[in-house]
Amino acid sequence: MSIQPLLIAAAALFSIGIYGILVRRNAVMVLLSIELILNSVNINFVAFNAMLSDVFLNGQIFSIFIITIAAAEVGIGLAIVLMLFRNRETANINEFDLMKW
Amino acid sequence: MEAVDIFSYFLLLLLLLSGVKVVTTSNVIHAAIFLVFTLATTAVLFILLSAEFVALVLILVYIGAVIVLFLFGVMITRAPLGPNAELDNDQNKLLAAVISLSIFGIFTYILLQTFDSTVVISEGTSTKLLGEILLSRFVFPFELVSFVLLGALIGGITLARKDNALMDEDQI
């Protein structure tokens, strides 16, 4: 089994996530797209771990750390979105333009 | 072509289709459900690549916890639950497609130029070895991550708590 289809699929998933971040208007949907990007990075790590047949399993350990940090990021991100919604009555990121020049 | 190859191509196709649906569907709940599909397909792919523990962590943490948080977030921010035409920035769509396709092109070109080897699918489980490495070689980052999670927990509670500046002492 070649590694190339895995890498192409991970790159495609990454660009799908970028597209989602740029297009979506709801802040929760933007966080969902970030999850897609983190997932593509995980696929890359595990695929390279299997390609190198690493005895220290560095790729798998890094992907476990990434999953953990992603869980923390979702918790903080949703708390921020909740806070914004409470103050501005909307989750539409086009309206959060206070710091836009 | 072996059976493993055909199965992995099928999985990757499923992964990309559900990933596309996550960013294109106009229904918020459907996007979260398609993210579940994407993550489940990724977990099957990890099992295929002999990374069982990572697959189980992915299922437990993402499908078990993160998706539930997302559904809570969707419902608390009162996003309309049905199909919603207001979900996308329509004037951004062309630009976003151009940017993401060019990123995909650059990545694919570089990765295909650089890596051309086969994936080694090992027999048996590596979970015991993974646990030993995680608690010997990576024990410091492992403990550090627990502090990060604690900080995220406290920060999330502090941010999401109602009117924390106005709270009197006798109200607590």
Side-chain angles (χ1 to χ4, degrees):
Chain A
M1 182 177 157
S2 169
I3 197 174
Q4 288 185 344
L6 293 168
L7 295 179
I8 295 172
L13 205 61
F14 188 90
S15 30
I16 289 169
I18 296 277
Y19 176 81
I21 288 178
L22 292 175
V23 156
R24 288 302 201 189
R25 204 180 256 171
N26 189 326
V28 181
M29 293 291 106
V30 174
L31 285 175
L32 274 182
S33 309
I34 293 175
E35 295 307 311
L36 281 183
I37 291 182
L38 290 166
N39 201 30
S40 81
V41 175
N42 279 339
I43 292 174
N44 259 3
F45 266 118
V46 173
F48 279 124
N49 188 64
M51 182 188 96
L52 299 169
S53 52
D54 188 5
V55 282
F56 291 114
L57 299 175
N58 284 322
Q60 296 190 22
I61 286 173
F62 263 90
S63 57
I64 288 172
F65 282 138
I66 291 171
I67 291 170
T68 320
I69 300 295
E73 173 255 326
V74 167
I76 293 288
L78 281 176
I80 292 172
V81 171
L82 191 62
M83 190 83 177
L84 286 172
F85 179 77
R86 200 175 281 150
N87 286 328
R88 308 287 291 269
E89 295 292 319
T90 176
N92 183 347
I93 46 175
N94 285 356
E95 311 213 354
F96 303 138
D97 53 0
L98 197 65
M99 294 178 81
K100 209 170 171 182
W101 190 49
Chain B
M1 190 183 271
E2 295 172 46
V4 174
D5 285 348
I6 298 170
F7 185 57
S8 68
Y9 287 146
F10 174 69
L11 278 181
L12 294 176
L13 195 67
L14 206 64
L15 181 76
L16 291 185
L17 284 180
S18 48
V20 167
K21 285 298 278 184
V22 171
V23 296
T24 53
T25 181
S26 60
N27 190 326
V28 184
I29 302 292
H30 287 183
I33 302 297
F34 277 115
L35 186 67
V36 171
F37 272 129
T38 314
L39 295 167
T41 321
T42 315
V44 178
L45 197 67
F46 284 177
I47 291 175
L48 199 68
L49 291 170
S50 60
E52 311 90 1
F53 187 70
V54 186
L56 291 177
V57 167
L58 195 79
I59 289 175
L60 279 176
V61 174
Y62 267 106
I63 301 177
V66 170
I67 294 295
V68 177
L69 260 182
F70 270 121
L71 291 177
F72 265 115
V74 164
M75 288 173 189
I76 286 175
T77 55
R78 282 185 231 148
L81 292 187
N84 180 12
E86 292 283 299
L87 208 58
D88 286 352
N89 258 336
D90 284 329
Q91 74 266 31
N92 278 0
K93 266 187 182 166
L94 185 66
L95 188 64
V98 169
I99 290 174
S100 60
L101 278 180
S102 51
I103 287 175
F104 174 65
I106 293 168
F107 275 14
T108 311
Y109 178 72
I110 294 172
L111 288 170
L112 290 189
Q113 291 275 313
T114 315
F115 298 106
D116 186 19
S117 11
T118 52
V119 168
V120 184
I121 298 175
S122 58
E123 304 257 322
T125 173
S126 61
T127 307
K128 181 168 179 279
L129 182 64
L130 191 72
E132 281 168 1
I133 293 169
L134 203 58
L135 286 179
S136 61
R137 195 160 177 248
F138 284 91
V139 67
F140 182 64
F142 184 74
E143 297 293 335
L144 206 63
V145 151
S146 71
F147 274 103
V148 170
L149 280 177
L150 180 68
L153 182 69
I154 295 173
I157 291 172
T158 316
L159 280 175
R161 204 169 66 168
K162 244 182 186 149
D163 55 15
N164 39 10
L166 302 172
M167 192 174 277
D168 290 336
E169 277 175 8
D170 52 319
Q171 276 183 329
I172 296 171

